[in-house]
Amino acid sequence: MGFEQLRDMYRFQHFWDEFTNPLNAELPIQSIISLCGFSSSKEFNTLLAGHKEASKNILKKNFS
């Protein structure tokens, strides 16, 4: 696994942990995206688009 892939994996995991934290329920999603090291929502969306199956599995595991 390369550095960028590892970095993105940890940034997404950090995003997911913050997004599902009840203490952050009132925060705008853009704030959480920025907090996790993404420079923009476009960068975050690009990451998700490139890892659709992995993202789907994370959502499925946490919401089913």
Side-chain angles (χ1 to χ4, degrees), residues 28-48:
I29 194 163
Q30 182 61 43
S31 295
I32 298 172
I33 289 171
S34 296
L35 170 75
C36 297
F38 295 97
S39 61
S40 66
S41 56
K42 182 178 178 183
E43 181 187 12
F44 180 74
N45 290 338
T46 300
L47 174 70
L48 290 183

Side-chain angles (χ1 to χ4, degrees), residues 6-17:
L6 183 64
R7 178 200 63 198
D8 289 342
M9 182 181 74
Y10 279 105
R11 286 197 303 182
F12 182 77
Q13 185 60 50
H14 183 105
F15 166 80
W16 189 253
D17 291 343

